[in-house]
Amino acid sequence: MLERVTIDSAVATWFADKGWKPFDFQRDVWARMGAGESGLLHATTGAGKTLAVALGAWQALRGAPARGLMVLWVTPMRALAADTTRALTEALAGVQAQDKSAPQWSLGLRTGDTSSSQRASQSRKPPTLLVTTPESLSLLLSRENAREFFADLRCVVVDEWHELIGNKRGVQAQLALARLRRWRPGLLTWGMSATLGDLDAAKRALLGPRSRGALVEARLEKELVIDTLIPEAPERFPWAGHLGIRMAGKVVAEIEAHNSTLLFTNTRSQAELWRQHLLLLRPDWADLVAIHHGSLAQEERDAVERGLKEGALKAVVCTSSLDLGVDFLPVERVLQIGSPKGVARLLQRAGRSGHAPGRASRVTLAPSHSLELVESAAVQAAIRKGRIESRASPLAPLDVLAQHLVTVGLGGGFKPDDLLAEVRETVAYENLCDGNWRWCLDFVRQGGPTLRAYPDFRRVAPGPDGVWRVVDKRLALRHRLNIGAIVSDASVMVQYFPRGKKLGSVEESFIARMKPGDKFWFAGRLLELVAVRNLTAFVKKGAGSGATPRWMGGRMPLSTTLADEMVETLARAAAGEFPSPEMRAAKPLLQLQQRWSALPTPQTLLAETLKSREGWHLFLYPFAGRNAHLGLASLIAWRAAQVAPGTFSIAVNDYGFELLSGAPRDWAADLPRLIGARSLGETREEVIKSLNAAELARRRFRDIAQIAGLVVAGYPGERKSARQLQASSSLFYDVFRKYDPENALLRQAERELLEDELDVRRLHETLTRMNERRVAHIHLKRCSPLAFPLVAERFRESLSTESFNDRIERMLAQLNSAADA
């Protein structure tokens, strides 16, 4: 392909003026796009993917008159959309300046932040290239004249495809792409990604199950430096929860030594705490250290991003809100607080530094406890081996499909047979059965068998011509205002009293526990609550100390790839191999674990039992991640109760779980029956029985009901509270369970609970692997280093903060004394 590449003279001149030379992968993309071929480009962050695809589109289409919307550029985030628009504007202006005879492309940006006047202008005269998000694309598809609006479309680009492929927003994008390809056969489609494992599956999800397309990989020798801040005295008994704050001095020294640093944390609460602590150590950095996470107001995040681009900030404490490809050239260093929990996530974050071809990327891990030293060694080993997590498309989520039917019903209407064929051109719905399709049609037509008497659920109806359309203007407005697959948290806006600046949002449950005068940290500020009115928490500046909000769903489970590599790393330690600085620092802990118990290996399942004043303990270490361990612990406790009735306390972390029985238990004798493998179907049924699955599914159903349009978050200025949304969805849930138990959305809620929250497939695979391994049973005299964090986790759930700290200190003193004896 490269031999046939003829680079446009304007592109060649612009590159030469910049002192650049096109990479082979860029030339490859240009040739393939010029030949009308679609594909997926996989390259490291900062390698030049945007220029490859943007200039490929410009060269491929420059012979066509710049009339109407020709190129659609889809990004996962509003901030990334704005940044991409700036980058594309600069590149296209530079290239077009070299050849005045070439068609001059106009650029536009359309997201939730775009003003109504700008949207109206784009409708009258569409730009040549439009940058947008999946949600805004669906809104465009809901226009009555949508087909005419996209009549000149020649190319679609999906940026950061790895961020979309594994969730419902990616399914929404798949459905939108199928609609556009049906209208525009031969539509050029390209995706870009930086960190993906199974590239063929990713390409298939992008282009459709029956499309071949190209896979272009940029094989660039980009230097990546990964190292670890080693604690001066790594503890032998690690426990999660102190968030690595004891490493703050070393972190401050790293920030001091560089002009601009991103400090990544895994949760929003952790980000708030870290900024507080950095300013305690360096109060002179108050205007130089900022915070950035998804719960902050857009204006707050925009200001931080501008500060990064301009080099005005020394450091930004952030979460995954800055994972994606916003271009911050001044950033020299990336620090990761605690484990990244996944290989792809660390690579993505590392790419935030040295974000340009030829520049080295460097990420330094700051472990929050000693076992994360092992995780650090394991993630580096996985990267050397090229082991990166794969991401798979969700399969046939009917809530997204129901929403899409209403969207298409607004966007000119559809004939069911034609639309079914179109929907099956996506990986998400290629195996959609006729029964589920008919159910979705009935659901959007009359709400299904239980809601047919209510006009609000008669959203789409067939006309005399056989075309299904939305005819009720009120329902049309409601749908457009609530379109999308992002379900907002149960949140309260935080705003300065009485009509001041909006800072962002915190969870409703957090504010509900507070009274006026209470103080809390948010957006890097200490705030005092004044009043709560209409889902807005009015605040003023506070003084002294305060609480830190916690957000649900913040914990990330350890990925399978990293967990497997960690077990292999521990096995090498068991054989006496400590080759890296991280493993040498963790050596005292690991050697003590071997002395008192054993280390897990790929061939053995470590099972520890202990009799204490609390009762009879069982500790198992499958290394399957927190979510799978929660399901496993509940399942094994349920099985134990079938052997002999009893109640159990449960604690889980990413490495294993604990079961505690107050009554005598011979865990070793019962273990073969407790971990016995079953079929996947039998395992699913047992997990449902072992948990309060109905209540867990009820909570999951709320999100599904919102996406499917059963309940709506409200209208601008009239958003419903979390309690109202939960009450509305719970009513539907109860009605369906009683009168329509085969309702497809009920089944989806149960399936998502098992597959996403409890990870039942991984749970089943873990059970199978546990049975294939030799059980290494150790009867402990006292808590081992691996058991201690599980005991600490259980105490945290049952004790006050003060009592918990006292209990942990006493245990640590006793265990360290025994270890030194």
Side-chain angles (χ1 to χ4, degrees):
M1 181 66 73
L2 291 178
E3 290 76 8
R4 302 197 301 272
V5 178
T6 300
I7 302 176
D8 186 277
S9 59
V11 173
T13 302
W14 184 65
F15 262 67
D17 288 348
K18 289 280 190 178
W20 298 342
K21 181 181 178 182
F23 292 114
D24 284 349
F25 82 87
Q26 292 173 323
R27 292 159 56 88
D28 195 2
V29 170
W30 296 341
R32 293 180 185 280
M33 294 184 78
E37 193 173 2
S38 297
L40 174 67
L41 170 59
H42 188 257
T44 57
T45 300
K49 296 188 295 293
T50 300
L51 288 180
V53 178
L55 297 183
W58 188 80
Q59 292 176 90
L61 303 178
R62 67 166 294 173
R67 182 179 60 243
L69 176 62
M70 295 174 63
V71 179
L72 189 66
W73 195 288
V74 183
T75 74
M77 290 171 50
R78 295 180 188 180
L80 183 57
D83 193 73
T84 299
T85 303
R86 286 190 289 269
L88 292 174
T89 299
E90 178 186 349
L92 289 175
V95 169
Q96 291 172 164
Q98 309 298 326
D99 185 355
K100 300 295 185 182
S101 65
Q104 300 295 297
W105 284 13
S106 58
L107 270 73
L109 172 64
R110 193 180 187 104
T111 69
D113 298 326
T114 304
S115 68
S116 57
S117 60
Q118 287 175 303
R119 291 197 297 269
S121 175
Q122 291 169 357
S123 298
R124 290 190 299 271
K125 186 179 180 181
T128 318
L129 187 154
L130 181 66
V131 181
T132 190
T133 61
E135 292 73 29
S136 291
L137 173 54
S138 288
L139 276 167
L140 288 171
L141 291 174
S142 74
R143 296 160 52 116
E144 190 172 356
N145 68 336
R147 188 163 189 164
E148 290 75 23
F149 183 80
F150 290 108
D152 296 305
L153 189 66
R154 302 282 296 275
C155 176
V156 177
V157 178
V158 184
D159 199 359
E160 306 283 3
W161 179 231
H162 60 274
E163 186 67 21
L164 292 171
I165 184 175
N167 56 48
K168 290 181 181 179
R169 297 182 73 215
V171 174
Q172 185 182 19
Q174 289 183 50
L175 289 168
L177 289 171
R179 172 112 291 224
L180 294 174
R181 283 193 281 257
R182 178 59 63 101
W183 287 343
R184 304 290 297 158
L187 180 68
L188 204 59
T189 306
W190 277 82
M192 298 186 291
S193 179
T195 50
L196 272 174
D198 191 341
L199 295 177
D200 287 326
K203 183 186 73 170
R204 190 170 182 269
L206 174 73
L207 302 181
R210 277 164 282 282
S211 178
R212 296 181 65 185
L215 177 60
V216 178
E217 291 189 74
R219 304 188 183 279
L220 301 178
E221 294 298 325
K222 183 176 177 65
E223 184 182 1
L224 173 62
V225 179
I226 304 174
D227 55 11
T228 306
L229 296 180
I230 305 296
E232 292 180 5
E235 74 274 341
R236 292 173 294 187
F237 298 95
W239 54 282
H242 43 110
L243 303 176
I245 291 296
R246 62 195 180 83
M247 299 290 291
K250 288 180 176 287
V251 169
V252 165
E254 290 294 321
I255 294 173
E256 180 72 72
H258 297 87
N259 291 323
S260 183
T261 299
L262 288 181
L263 189 72
F264 278 102
T265 65
N266 289 340
T267 67
R268 288 165 282 185
S269 300
Q270 201 176 5
E272 294 281 352
L273 285 168
W274 262 94
R275 185 179 185 275
Q276 294 171 40
H277 208 78
L278 291 177
L279 295 187
L280 281 175
L281 296 176
R282 290 297 302 267
D284 55 312
W285 283 356
D287 295 327
L288 299 176
V289 176
I291 186 169
H292 190 290
H293 59 68
S295 290
L296 299 182
Q298 186 68 45
E299 296 76 12
E300 291 279 304
R301 300 200 301 270
D302 288 346
V304 173
E305 290 164 19
R306 283 195 302 273
L308 273 173
K309 285 177 175 294
E310 295 165 2
L313 294 173
K314 185 76 173 170
V316 174
V317 187
C318 57
T319 63
S320 56
S321 59
L322 287 184
D323 272 2
L324 298 185
V326 180
D327 190 2
F328 301 124
L329 281 178
V331 173
E332 296 176 354
R333 286 293 304 281
V334 169
L335 294 173
Q336 165 68 45
I337 301 298
S339 167
K341 300 300 179 185
V343 181
R345 185 176 296 111
L346 184 66
L347 287 172
Q348 184 72 26
R349 291 178 173 181
R352 299 297 94 220
S353 68
H355 194 264
R359 294 178 60 180
S361 294
R362 183 179 178 189
V363 61
T364 299
L365 292 97
S368 64
H369 57 74
S370 292
L371 281 172
E372 287 187 345
L373 289 165
V374 182
E375 286 192 52
S376 177
V379 75
Q380 293 178 64
I383 290 171
R384 287 194 296 271
K385 297 174 184 176
R387 296 174 67 174
I388 303 175
E389 295 87 2
S390 299
R391 305 187 193 190
S393 167
L395 297 180
L398 299 186
D399 53 346
V400 180
L401 181 57
Q403 183 185 108
H404 185 66
L405 292 182
V406 182
T407 296
V408 176
L410 283 167
F414 64 88
K415 291 186 176 180
D417 289 347
D418 293 341
L419 186 56
L420 175 58
E422 177 182 309
V423 164
R424 283 177 173 164
E425 288 298 316
T426 67
V427 162
Y429 299 100
E430 62 177 315
N431 295 315
L432 178 69
C433 68
D434 291 342
N436 279 340
W437 173 250
R438 287 193 297 269
W439 185 90
C440 280
L441 288 175
D442 187 52
F443 177 71
V444 299
R445 183 178 185 179
Q446 57 186 9
T450 51
L451 301 175
R452 62 183 60 185
Y454 301 95
D456 271 9
F457 302 105
R458 300 173 196 159
R459 293 180 284 174
V460 189
D465 56 356
V467 177
W468 290 45
R469 298 182 178 89
V470 178
V471 294
D472 188 312
K473 292 184 178 179
R474 182 179 60 87
L475 295 180
L477 175 63
R478 189 178 76 176
H479 178 79
R480 289 190 174 107
L481 289 173
N482 291 276
I483 210 165
I486 300 176
V487 180
S488 60
D489 293 333
S491 60
V492 170
M493 177 60 67
V494 178
Q495 182 178 357
Y496 277 122
F497 181 81
R499 290 181 295 275
K501 182 179 181 181
K502 294 179 179 179
L503 300 176
S505 58
V506 297
E507 287 199 350
E508 192 178 347
S509 58
F510 174 76
I511 290 293
R513 295 193 298 270
M514 306 190 77
K515 60 183 183 298
D518 287 350
K519 303 179 186 69
F520 64 99
W521 286 93
F522 182 66
R525 304 166 172 89
L526 183 61
L527 306 171
E528 180 180 326
L529 182 64
V530 176
V532 180
R533 302 186 196 125
N534 300 323
L535 292 179
T536 300
F538 290 100
V539 298
K540 63 182 181 181
K541 290 182 179 180
S545 61
T548 301
R550 291 191 177 275
W551 285 265
M552 294 293 290
R555 283 178 166 174
M556 302 174 182
L558 194 68
S559 76
T560 303
T561 301
L562 183 51
D564 289 347
E565 192 65 52
M566 192 174 178
V567 173
E568 292 176 18
T569 302
L570 289 172
R572 289 191 289 272
E577 298 178 22
F578 299 89
S580 65
E582 294 85 358
M583 292 303 290
R584 288 191 288 274
K587 189 174 182 179
L589 180 158
L590 300 177
Q591 288 185 328
L592 183 61
Q593 175 68 27
Q594 278 190 291
R595 179 152 61 95
W596 286 2
S597 177
L599 286 170
T601 74
Q603 293 76 39
T604 59
L605 170 66
L606 177 60
E608 298 174 336
T609 54
L610 173 68
K611 170 64 177 71
S612 74
R613 287 182 303 172
E614 299 172 287
W616 284 257
H617 306 252
L618 170 66
F619 302 97
L620 287 174
Y621 305 98
F623 281 78
R626 178 181 296 273
N627 291 354
H629 288 160
L630 175 60
L632 268 174
S634 302
L635 171 61
I636 291 176
W638 179 82
R639 288 181 177 179
Q642 308 308 301
V643 175
T647 57
F648 307 93
S649 298
I650 292 173
V652 303
N653 61 20
D654 278 319
Y655 315 129
F657 58 88
E658 175 203 23
L659 296 181
L660 170 62
S661 170
R665 283 275 170 175
D666 188 347
W667 289 114
D670 292 343
L671 197 57
R673 282 181 290 178
L674 300 183
I675 66 171
R678 311 280 197 273
S679 69
L680 177 58
E682 290 172 321
T683 301
R684 288 169 60 96
E685 290 303 314
E686 285 189 326
V687 169
I688 291 171
K689 292 175 183 176
S690 69
L691 290 161
N692 186 1
E695 191 56 39
L696 293 173
R698 181 191 299 273
R699 294 205 298 267
R700 191 79 186 192
F701 183 79
R702 192 197 85 172
D703 294 351
I704 291 170
Q706 209 170 324
I707 293 172
L710 269 179
V711 298
V712 295
Y715 298 92
E718 301 177 11
R719 308 301 285 180
K720 291 182 180 178
S721 71
R723 189 172 298 175
Q724 290 170 319
L725 285 173
Q726 188 63 55
S728 299
S729 63
S730 289
L731 179 61
F732 285 115
Y733 183 80
D734 291 335
V735 167
F736 290 156
R737 280 178 64 87
K738 186 173 182 179
Y739 299 106
D740 186 15
E742 295 305 310
N743 185 285
L745 297 183
L746 286 182
R747 297 199 307 270
Q748 182 180 331
E750 181 180 293
R751 187 177 72 247
E752 288 187 8
L753 168 69
L754 292 170
E755 293 178 358
D756 299 341
E757 290 188 36
L758 299 176
D759 208 349
V760 73
R761 185 172 294 277
R762 186 174 179 185
L763 184 157
H764 175 70
E765 292 170 354
T766 302
L767 264 182
T768 302
R769 291 166 65 177
M770 289 165 66
N771 279 268
E772 293 170 350
R773 294 174 177 174
R774 177 179 60 82
V775 175
H777 171 240
I778 308 294
H779 182 70
L780 300 172
K781 295 180 180 178
R782 59 188 69 83
C783 264
S784 70
L786 285 181
F788 178 77
L790 288 166
V791 173
E793 188 77 19
R794 180 165 46 79
F795 286 163
R796 188 196 312 280
E797 300 298 325
S798 59
L799 299 175
S800 67
T801 301
E802 187 174 348
S803 300
F804 170 75
N805 291 335
D806 291 343
R807 185 71 177 270
I808 291 297
E809 290 300 326
R810 287 199 302 273
M811 283 189 67
L812 284 173
Q814 293 167 0
L815 290 170
N816 280 313
S817 177
D820 293 335

